[in-house]
Amino acid sequence: MKRISFKTNFILTVIFVIGSGFMLLWASNSLGDYWARIITLMAIYGIMATSYTLVNGVTGIFSLGHAGFIAVGAYTAALLTLPIQQKAMSFFITPLIWPLNSIQMGFLPATIIAGCVAAFAAFLVGYPSLRVTGDYFAIATLAFAEIIRIVIQNSYSVTNGSLGLKGIPPYTTIWWAWGWLLVTLIVLGSFKFSSYGRALRAMSEDTVAARAMGIDVFKHQLMSFVVSGFFAGIGGALYAHWLTTIDPRPTSLGIMLTFFVLIMIVVGGLGSLSGAVLGAVFFAFSAQWLRIVESPMNFFGLTIPGIPGMSMLIFAVVFILIMLFWRRGIMGRDELSWQYIYNHFSKRVGDQD
Amino acid sequence: MIKIKNEKTDKKEVLKLENLTIKFGGLTAVDSFNAYINKNELIGLIGPNGAGKTTIFNMVTGIYKPSFGTVTFNDVNITAMAPHVITHLGIARTFQNIRLFSEMSVLENVMVAEHSWLQNYKAKKVLHAHNPSEFPKPRWKSWFWSAVLKTPDYLKVEKEMNFYANKLLSVVGLDKYADHKASALSYGPQRKLEIARALATKPSLLLLDEPAAGMNPQETQELADFITNVRKKFDITILLIEHDMKFVMKICERIYVLDYGKIIAHGVPEEIQKNKKVIEAYLGDESYV
Ligand SMILES: Nc1ncnc2c1ncn2[C@@H]1O[C@H](COP(=O)(O)OP(=O)(O)O)[C@@H](O)[C@H]1O
Ligand SMILES: [Mg+2]
């Protein structure tokens, strides 16, 4: 087996990134607005999924609270970028509190602040939740995410409650989304392939052995949870400025979103960052495609009315089938690297003779 | 009970266990266990199945909190400290049922243990509190950002980790399997990898839980030489639990015998071999003799 050198790896990666940039340029110019939006969504999902797989896959703790941090990021960023007049108009039941009512800032600082606030929320949720393990942790994070959602729903003077936020500037372009995805992948990849990442992967296999090897399991789980929360917040910020309207219904920034992102990371292979991106691309794509089943159809003269929620049902079934028969997902725990491609390719060639 | 005099009183006591007791519900798994280990000794802990040997290891390494009694390591009271802090202080162990990180490569398994090099602030603080003149006040450094941003000082440590891990693997003869998954190794090499992994934390005391379990006589012989070698090469103190009497008799300098959580004998191998209580405890259990 040949090892691909660092230099080759680096050059190939730079070429790949530049090549992808041109692809995106072409897509945004010639595929039309509709597809440009879908391609943007792929990257947003990619950020949500990679940050989720860091916790659920790499670190091996099963959180169900991801949407909570996405919501925190979405609301934080939206409240920071919304034009002041728009805020005054939207908050007609209870006015928005100071200083939020007089702030309006650019997209980049708002996104970064959203990440930080979401990371802080992840710290507050993770600290007590990580005291328990396994199913209890999953339930605790699920409960906390629901608490976040209900707090948002009832804090009229901050979030506009169930009315939601409207008229969020549509800042999220292909470039912002894919640019942030690139940053996310670089940071999370660098984290995963460091001594810390090794510690996380070890913990995911055996916490007792990891402790005996000198790893402070709680501290590292919390660290992973907070880093994940940061990028969930970034994803949320981008999502809010893609949607332009957000509200605290369970189907928008609630458990449903966690479930979607869970499908992405399971399809991609739990623990694989590149797999999570592939899963996100797959999901964004098939969610569009599955809209067909929700619209009225004409079958040999027979008109079937559109069934709302049908695509959800199909996703749920697909999810169950994957869990039963294809646990590995696309990538398993591996990463899509040049070495990985080379190994697979050379194996294929080797098989033929 | 045979009392042997501690002739080498000038020798430094590495580990001291006093009245160590643990209860699980109604069961007293270990009852007032007393023991000491001097620097560079190779000590055996034997006893029938369920005697409480592994439980003693678990109390020393902080996995279980003793109901009563103290664990003193290099004059520091480490009773019920967190396992990772105890590891950073210099106690490393292997497990009776091999607990490797089976999805990770052989090299990575060793390097995981080296993560402790970046994490020993708390242990250094404990040492500083214990003896400020010998151990300087540690400075806290978060390696997290360095690791993510791949700063030069992090890359230097990473390189050292890689180098030392490879060195350890060649010492235990596993260097050619560095890239293999740990689960791909067969039983004997897995045991050796677990020892290499423990050594990677740079311990001064190594606890081995039944290292020869499941090995054939030839492998056991090899392992005996291996352990003796490791002790010399790493200038380390070893406490080992063993099933195989012959093995223990051969390599250990002193032996503690445990039965139903209590010490029934303590002495040099020749004394233990002749001890009535020990023979009784082992009677009818052919596998031990
Ligand atoms: N976590 C635990 N909970 C309850 N009982 C335990 C626990 N750990 C060990 N024991 C009991 O303590 C006794 C000693 O076990 P152990 O130390 O594993 O024996 P051995 O000498 O074979 O290593 C056994 O009876 C075992 O069932
Ligand atoms: Mg045991």
Side-chain angles (χ1 to χ4, degrees):
Chain A
M1 191 172 79
K2 209 183 99 176
R3 283 234 155 262
I4 295 177
S5 71
F6 177 78
K7 205 173 149 195
T8 320
N9 248 321
F10 187 77
I11 293 169
L12 284 172
T13 306
V14 168
I15 293 173
F16 176 76
V17 169
I18 293 172
S20 308
F22 277 111
M23 283 273 288
L24 290 175
L25 185 65
W26 169 79
S28 65
N29 286 337
S30 44
L31 284 183
D33 274 359
Y34 177 78
W35 279 104
R37 265 182 78 72
I38 304 302
I39 290 168
T40 308
L41 184 62
M42 285 174 183
I44 298 172
Y45 280 162
I47 294 166
M48 295 174 182
T50 45
S51 54
Y52 197 29
T53 213
L54 176 73
V55 168
N56 284 30
V58 180
T59 316
I61 47 179
F62 203 83
S63 158
L64 285 174
H66 208 56
F69 310 126
I70 294 172
V72 169
Y75 269 90
T76 306
L79 284 168
L80 293 175
T81 60
L82 266 175
I84 291 162
Q85 307 93 303
Q86 178 68 41
K87 285 178 183 170
M89 232 157 48
S90 292
F91 285 72
F92 56 80
I93 294 186
T94 320
L96 180 59
I97 51 159
W98 188 88
L100 287 172
N101 62 0
S102 48
I103 292 180
Q104 189 194 347
M105 61 170 74
F107 191 33
L108 183 63
T111 307
I112 292 170
I113 293 172
C116 294
V117 175
F120 184 64
F123 178 83
L124 292 181
V125 170
Y127 199 87
S129 308
L130 285 166
R131 299 286 168 185
V132 294
T133 53
D135 302 343
Y136 298 105
F137 176 74
I139 294 164
T141 49
L142 179 65
F144 271 115
E146 189 60 13
I147 289 171
I148 289 175
R149 198 186 66 74
I150 289 169
V151 167
I152 290 174
Q153 195 164 32
N154 291 290
S155 310
Y156 278 86
S157 59
V158 182
T159 63
N160 210 20
S162 52
L163 299 173
L165 298 176
K166 289 179 190 63
I168 303 167
Y171 287 148
T172 308
T173 57
I174 277 194
W175 303 109
W176 276 117
W178 283 85
W180 270 112
L181 176 61
L182 183 65
V183 171
T184 309
L185 280 175
I186 290 172
V187 173
L188 294 186
S190 179
F191 185 44
K192 185 181 170 186
F193 291 100
S194 74
S195 190
Y196 285 89
R198 274 193 298 272
L200 298 186
R201 283 188 292 142
M203 281 157 37
S204 77
E205 285 198 47
D206 187 336
T207 49
V208 172
R211 278 195 187 94
M213 293 308 120
I215 296 167
D216 184 346
V217 170
F218 174 76
K219 186 181 110 181
H220 284 75
Q221 286 177 338
L222 189 59
M223 184 186 281
S224 156
F225 204 66
V226 169
V227 171
S228 165
F230 177 82
F231 285 104
I234 301 283
L238 294 167
Y239 196 42
H241 293 80
W242 181 87
L243 290 165
T244 68
T245 351
I246 52 175
D247 62 64
R249 276 173 308 157
T251 44
S252 53
L253 291 169
I255 180 66
M256 205 71 122
L257 185 58
T258 298
F259 177 61
F260 287 158
V261 188
L262 189 61
I263 292 176
M264 297 174 209
I265 64 173
V266 168
V267 168
L270 273 175
S272 169
L273 299 174
S274 40
V277 176
L278 294 177
V281 168
F282 161 85
F283 185 88
F285 208 77
S286 40
Q288 291 312 309
W289 184 75
L290 279 174
R291 285 170 94 161
I292 300 167
V293 300
E294 294 196 4
S295 51
M297 270 183 290
N298 205 324
F299 244 167
F300 305 109
L302 195 73
T303 310
I304 303 165
I307 310 164
M310 191 60 190
S311 63
M312 274 311 301
L313 194 69
I314 293 177
F315 272 128
V317 171
V318 168
F319 183 71
I320 291 166
L321 289 177
I322 289 174
M323 289 313 265
L324 285 177
F325 301 110
W326 196 43
R327 287 252 178 106
R328 214 186 155 277
I330 301 171
M331 296 299 302
R333 304 195 103 208
D334 299 328
E335 290 296 348
L336 196 59
S337 62
W338 301 112
Q339 186 74 49
Y340 181 89
I341 294 168
Y342 174 83
N343 291 354
H344 272 245
F345 184 69
S346 56
K347 216 188 281 169
R348 285 283 152 71
V349 174
D351 284 349
Q352 283 167 358
D353 49 45
Chain B
M1 189 197 292
I2 298 168
K3 280 251 158 76
I4 61 161
K5 257 187 271 156
N6 187 1
E7 290 150 303
K8 305 164 193 162
T9 37
D10 54 317
K11 270 216 147 180
K12 194 171 178 290
E13 210 165 50
V14 171
L15 187 73
K16 191 158 82 184
L17 308 177
E18 289 167 295
N19 299 321
L20 211 54
T21 303
I22 191 167
K23 295 185 177 127
F24 296 114
L27 174 88
T28 306
V30 176
D31 193 357
S32 299
F33 184 73
N34 287 289
Y36 64 89
I37 302 170
N38 292 328
K39 193 164 175 358
N40 289 104
E41 271 189 314
L42 175 47
I43 304 295
L45 175 59
I46 64 171
N49 242 328
K53 306 180 296 289
T54 300
T55 305
I56 290 176
F57 270 23
N58 286 339
M59 285 191 283
V60 172
T61 55
I63 293 177
Y64 290 164
K65 312 238 171 298
S67 316
F68 190 72
T70 55
V71 182
T72 311
F73 176 60
N74 287 332
D75 300 328
V76 182
N77 183 349
I78 60 161
T79 319
M81 273 190 189
H84 62 271
V85 178
I86 292 177
T87 305
H88 298 159
L89 286 170
I91 302 181
R93 71 173 291 179
T94 64
F95 293 89
Q96 183 172 349
N97 315 303
I98 305 176
R99 295 184 93 135
L100 289 169
F101 306 116
S102 50
E103 290 294 309
M104 298 171 79
S105 77
V106 168
L107 182 70
E108 282 176 326
N109 264 273
V110 180
M111 289 182 76
V112 163
E114 292 169 345
H115 187 59
S116 58
W117 300 359
L118 311 177
Q119 303 283 314
N120 51 17
Y121 174 73
K122 225 182 211 161
K124 281 188 177 158
K125 229 170 64 176
V126 168
L127 289 176
H128 175 70
H130 169 68
N131 186 351
S133 57
E134 194 180 339
F135 302 100
K137 198 171 158 62
R139 260 192 315 141
W140 189 74
K141 170 168 169 59
S142 167
W143 283 94
F144 171 77
W145 292 108
S146 320
V148 170
L149 301 173
K150 299 278 185 280
T151 57
D153 59 340
Y154 173 76
L155 289 176
K156 191 169 152 253
V157 175
E158 172 88 24
K159 211 171 153 186
E160 279 165 23
M161 288 176 168
N162 200 300
F163 178 80
Y164 192 67
N166 276 304
K167 202 177 106 183
L168 282 174
L169 286 180
S170 54
V171 168
V172 303
L174 291 174
D175 40 343
K176 40 185 183 303
Y177 304 115
D179 287 336
H180 291 219
K181 256 192 189 179
S183 54
L185 295 181
S186 54
Y187 194 75
Q190 284 200 4
R191 285 257 176 233
K192 284 189 173 170
L193 175 56
E194 224 195 358
I195 295 175
R197 186 180 69 172
L199 288 171
T201 62
K202 299 197 169 168
S204 53
L205 173 65
L206 184 60
L207 309 180
L208 304 174
D209 198 344
E210 305 205 12
M215 287 188 174
N216 63 34
Q218 196 214 326
E219 284 173 325
T220 308
Q221 175 61 45
E222 266 176 35
L223 185 76
D225 298 338
F226 175 72
I227 290 174
T228 324
N229 257 333
V230 162
R231 175 159 71 134
K232 256 189 245 142
K233 222 172 231 159
F234 293 89
D235 185 33
I236 210 172
T237 313
I238 297 178
L239 171 62
L240 67 83
I241 292 175
E242 202 30 83
H243 231 72
D244 186 330
M245 277 273 241
K246 266 186 236 151
F247 179 82
V248 179
M249 296 294 168
K250 205 180 131 208
I251 66 170
C252 293
E253 287 153 5
R254 275 189 298 126
I255 295 169
Y256 288 90
V257 188
L258 203 64
D259 196 17
Y260 295 110
K262 286 198 173 81
I263 297 187
I264 56 165
H266 166 216
V268 294
E270 299 79 49
E271 290 174 302
I272 297 298
Q273 230 155 6
K274 285 181 247 145
N275 188 297
K276 275 235 174 63
K277 277 189 188 164
V278 177
I279 296 168
E280 237 166 70
Y282 275 82
L283 209 65
D285 198 342
E286 308 247 314
S287 64
Y288 292 103
V289 193

